Amino acid sequence: MKTITKIVWVITYNNEIVIIGNIKWNKDKLIREFVASHWDNHYWEYFYKKGYRCRKATLTINIE
């Protein structure tokens, strides 16, 4: 079994992961993609006020 560990940006809501960004993305790219994926055309500030947060996380994947 092979284990891969990477630092990624995630968007969370109530401490649950909503979306994980591509490993090569930075924080701003993930926020732009997340906001663009919603039809209501709100800005990130709207989601931030609702409790969404963008944070770094450690992603560990086990490949058999």
Side-chain angles (χ1 to χ4, degrees):
M1 183 180 304
K2 181 178 178 182
T3 301
I4 300 171
T5 302
K6 297 285 183 182
I7 302 295
V8 295
W9 285 101
V10 296
I11 290 182
T12 60
Y13 182 71
N14 289 335
N15 292 321
E16 296 290 328
I17 294 174
V18 176
I19 187 172
I20 300 174
N22 183 310
I23 290 169
K24 295 179 182 176
W25 289 357
N26 60 24
K27 179 180 181 178
D28 295 332
K29 171 77 172 161
L30 178 60
I31 287 172
R32 281 194 306 271
E33 291 293 322
F34 174 75
V35 170
S37 70
H38 289 76
W39 292 96
D40 46 15
N41 293 325
H42 290 297
Y43 292 100
W44 174 245
E45 290 77 18
Y46 169 83
F47 293 102
Y48 191 87
K49 287 178 186 173
K50 294 281 187 185
Y52 289 84
R53 297 293 182 266
C54 190
R55 337 178 148 167
K56 280 186 180 176
T58 303
L59 176 66
T60 303
I61 301 170
N62 294 319
I63 301 173
E64 293 184 21

